[in-house]
């Protein structure tokens, strides 16, 4: 099962342990997200912030343990492409919200 | 055939026929190319997310997320997709061990769980349309059906791809090109699970909160 980091650019290999860890963490994060909303214990703003935080953590858990994205040299260009895509998503989604809510305020 | 020869021929026709040492480099190039496709697909989804966020409160006097969404059902859907993703991961581990039987088992499990997700989603859509909350009802519902439906369409194609790979496993066995395709299908399948994190958080959970 041993393999060097350069063995697998863009197609890295996981182990049963890494998939189990990623799966368990994702299940817990999902249950906490749903639990917070269905339980209704938190006020609105902290709840929204908590949901975003949990989603971002789960995003990184799945990138790390399911898609094996890390800072190894083999994954360098995958990581660069991903970071650039995050930047574009920030422009798309952030820009749309900014413009449309600004428009809404003025109408 | 040497490694150097195939490494200089990305996407060259006929490379599948060799399947020797060179196909390992080919697999890496193809996996990276497929990764770039996934990134472009992420841009498509971010455009749909942006549209949804902008349209999310345009109810046109129709039903709101609170009236429509059933969180327990969405939780079950989420768990089905997540478990399907993990099952695919186990199939990948088996693939690297050369254990054909476990690869098949993992793929069949991933397919069944993914199909369960899709059936639940279609039942939800059918229910919404039945009670007059179809995509033509309001801006919110148009954006909802477009975003969630596009994700569902991806899952549908992923399921078809799993069937194709099961057929190729039966006819070709675990050859290098088949392993490469299984790897890329795995990337696609995990990617859909990641997009779903955004969907259940932004659409379903935040929809019910607001």
């Amino acid at each position: 099962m041993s393999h060097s980091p350069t063995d697998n650019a863009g197609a890295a290999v996981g182990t049963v342990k890494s998939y189990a860890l990623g799966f368990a963490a994702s299940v817990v994060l999902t249950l906490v997200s749903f639990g917070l909303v269905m339980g209704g214990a938190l006020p609105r703003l902290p709840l929204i912030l908590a949901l975003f935080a949990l989603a971002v953590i789960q995003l990184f858990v799945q990138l790390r343990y399911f898609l094996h994205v890390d800072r190894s040299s083999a994954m360098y260009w995958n990581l660069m492409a991903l970071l650039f895509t995050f930047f574009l998503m920030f422009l798309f989604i952030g820009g749309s919200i900014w413009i449309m809510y600004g428009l809404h305020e003025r109408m | 055939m040497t490694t150097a020869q195939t490494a200089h021929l990305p996407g060259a026709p006929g490379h599948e026929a060799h399947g020797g040492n060179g196909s390992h480099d080919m697999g890496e190039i193809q996996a990276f190319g497929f990764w770039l496709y996934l990134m472009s697909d992420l841009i498509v989804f971010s455009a749909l997310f942006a549209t949804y966020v902008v349209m999310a409160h345009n109810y046109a006097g129709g039903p709101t997320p609170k009236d429509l969404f059933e969180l327990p059902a969405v939780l079950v859907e989420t768990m089905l997709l997540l478990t399907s993703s993990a099952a695919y991961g186990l199939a990948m581990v088996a693939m690297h061990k050369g254990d054909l039987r476990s690869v098949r088992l993992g793929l069949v499990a991933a397919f069944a769980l993914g199909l369960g997700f899709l059936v639940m989603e279609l039942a939800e859509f059918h229910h919404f349309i039945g009670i007059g909350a179809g995509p033509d009802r309001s801006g919110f519902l148009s954006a909802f059906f477009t975003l969630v439906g596009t994700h569902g369409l991806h899952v549908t194609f992923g399921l078809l791809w799993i069937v194709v790979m099961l057929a190729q496993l039966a006819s070709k066995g675990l050859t290098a090109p088949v392993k490469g395709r299984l790897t890329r299908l795995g990337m696609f399948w995990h990617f859909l699970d990641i997009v779903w994190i955004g969907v259940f958080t932004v659409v379903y959970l935040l929809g019910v909160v607001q």
Side-chain angles (χ1 to χ4, degrees), chain A residues 69-71 75-84, chain B residues 32 35:
Chain A
V69 176
D70 53 29
R71 286 184 294 171
M75 293 304 276
Y76 179 80
W77 288 108
N78 294 62
L79 187 60
M80 286 304 120
L82 182 68
L83 291 178
F84 181 62
Chain B
F32 183 65
W35 179 261

Side-chain angles (χ1 to χ4, degrees), chain A residues 27-74:
Chain A
V27 167
V28 170
L29 288 163
T30 302
L31 287 176
V32 172
S33 282
F34 277 82
L36 283 177
V37 174
M38 289 157 89
L42 280 179
R44 191 168 166 274
L45 188 64
L47 178 56
I48 291 172
L49 292 177
L51 289 176
F52 272 115
L54 287 162
V56 170
I57 295 169
Q58 188 171 171
L59 167 80
F60 284 110
V61 165
Q62 293 204 11
L63 280 173
R64 175 73 184 80
Y65 292 104
F66 287 173
L67 283 165
H68 318 295
V69 176
D70 53 29
R71 286 184 294 171
S72 69
S73 58

Side-chain angles (χ1 to χ4, degrees), chain B residues 11 20-21 30 50 62 70 79 93 140 145 193 196:
Chain B
N21 289 327
Q30 288 171 327
E70 307 262 357
M79 288 302 167
V93 174
F140 150 63
F145 274 91
D193 202 19
W196 184 256

Side-chain angles (χ1 to χ4, degrees), chain B residues 51-64:
Chain B
T51 308
Y52 179 81
V53 172
V54 167
M55 303 285 266
H57 303 289
N58 298 4
Y59 304 129
T64 66

Side-chain angles (χ1 to χ4, degrees), chain B residues 3-160:
Chain B
T3 306
Q5 272 175 332
T6 40
H8 287 116
L9 293 168
H15 69 268
E16 289 184 11
H18 307 303
N21 289 327
S23 59
H24 187 71
D25 294 318
M26 188 58 69
E28 287 184 17
I29 294 167
Q30 288 171 327
F32 183 65
F34 193 76
W35 179 261
L36 293 183
Y37 152 68
L38 290 180
M39 294 301 103
S40 70
D41 220 7
L42 206 50
I43 300 290
V44 171
F45 276 110
S46 63
L48 295 177
F49 270 108
T51 308
Y52 179 81
V53 172
V54 167
M55 303 285 266
H57 303 289
N58 298 4
Y59 304 129
T64 66
K66 255 185 192 146
D67 304 328
L68 292 173
F69 297 158
E70 307 262 357
L71 287 188
V74 179
L75 180 59
V76 174
E77 274 182 78
T78 305
M79 288 302 167
L80 283 172
L81 202 60
L82 187 58
T83 314
S84 176
S85 202
Y88 199 100
L90 295 182
M92 292 304 289
V93 174
M95 183 187 90
H96 289 285
K97 282 184 187 160
D99 181 356
L100 180 60
R101 204 169 153 267
S102 300
V103 175
R104 278 214 186 102
L105 202 66
L107 285 183
V108 169
F111 178 87
L113 293 159
L115 187 66
F117 168 87
L118 195 65
V119 167
M120 284 190 75
E121 185 161 274
L122 289 175
E124 184 193 38
F125 283 4
H126 184 255
H127 171 66
F128 285 0
I129 293 169
I131 60 170
D136 54 345
R137 181 61 189 84
S138 63
F140 150 63
L141 282 163
S142 299
F144 168 83
F145 274 91
T146 309
L147 173 58
V148 182
T150 302
H151 178 270
L153 203 61
H154 278 74
V155 173
T156 309
F157 279 102
L159 290 174
L160 282 175

